[in-house]
């Protein structure tokens, strides 16, 4: 079993829709939970990080962590074509390893 | 621009050959991470260095090796290359040893094609 599971997509939604991206993880030692965004032919860049269970909001983006079920989500409101990218969840353990999910390819149709 | 520089951007070579990928971290960052990204495996952690010393190891093959030099740049050496080694290789850096917030700054990657 992979430490981090993520649906690879692709996911295609119309502009303005609410997008939900999800990951599950198996290692209870993970302490930090991140979402990275990767545009085509570019390196990933950090979008959001959370430490505890609950929600964290940043503009149109909301990250949600449920440690009891080992489930993390990223919601994008009022999605824009510029949000089209691959979104990778990542988890960080005390062993200093940051483990990435395989990424979900998202396309926002104008 | 993340401030992390990787060279070369593209590399085409043959099976059995050896290549070296180079990474210059952001100014002041002490930790360097190497990741391999392929279509079917996602972003796989290879190895991390902190201030010249190996800090953590992931799924790095024995044919691969890395080091971080006193000026903090890092090199990833891939030898006896196989077709399956074709991938994007990313370097990332962070200021701290353990990257407390999980924020890594990635370079734009080196695309390796093994023919």
């Amino acid at each position: 079993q992979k430490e981090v599971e993520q649906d690879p997509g692709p996911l295609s939604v119309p502009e303005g829709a609410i997008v939900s991206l999800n990951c599950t993880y198996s290692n209870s030692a993970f302490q930090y939970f991140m979402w990275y965004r990767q545009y085509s032919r570019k390196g990933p860049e950090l979008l959001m990080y959370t430490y505890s269970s609950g929600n964290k909001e940043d503009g149109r983006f909301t990250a949600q962590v449920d440690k009891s079920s080992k489930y993390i989500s990223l919601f994008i409101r009022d999605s824009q074509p510029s949000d089209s990218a691959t979104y990778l969840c990542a988890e960080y353990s005390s062993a200093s390893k940051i483990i990435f999910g395989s990424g979900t390819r998202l396309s926002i149709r104008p | 621009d993340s401030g992390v520089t990787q060279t070369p951007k593209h590399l085409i070579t043959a099976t059995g050959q050896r290549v070296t990928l180079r990474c210059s971290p952001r100014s002041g960052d002490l930790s360097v991470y190497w990741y391999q990204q392929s279509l079917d495996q996602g972003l796989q952690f290879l190895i991390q260095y902190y201030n010249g010393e190996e800090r953590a190891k992931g799924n790095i093959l024995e044919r691969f090796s890395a080091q971080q030099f006193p000026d903090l740049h890092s090199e990833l050496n891939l030898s006896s290359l196989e077709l399956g080694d074709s991938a994007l290789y990313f370097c990332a850096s962070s200021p701290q040893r353990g990257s407390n917030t999980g924020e890594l700054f990635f370079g734009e990657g080196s695309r390796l094609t093994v023919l």
Side-chain angles (χ1 to χ4, degrees), chain A residues 6-20:
Chain A
Q6 185 175 8
D7 186 339
L11 182 62
S12 180
V13 302
E15 184 176 353
I18 295 174
V19 176
S20 171

Side-chain angles (χ1 to χ4, degrees), chain A residues 25 30-34 49-51 65 67 72 90-91:
Chain A
Y25 64 94
F30 286 137
Q31 300 165 302
Y32 289 89
F33 306 88
M34 292 80 69
Y49 76 90
T50 57
Y51 174 68
V65 176
K67 284 188 175 180
I72 69 170
E91 282 76 20

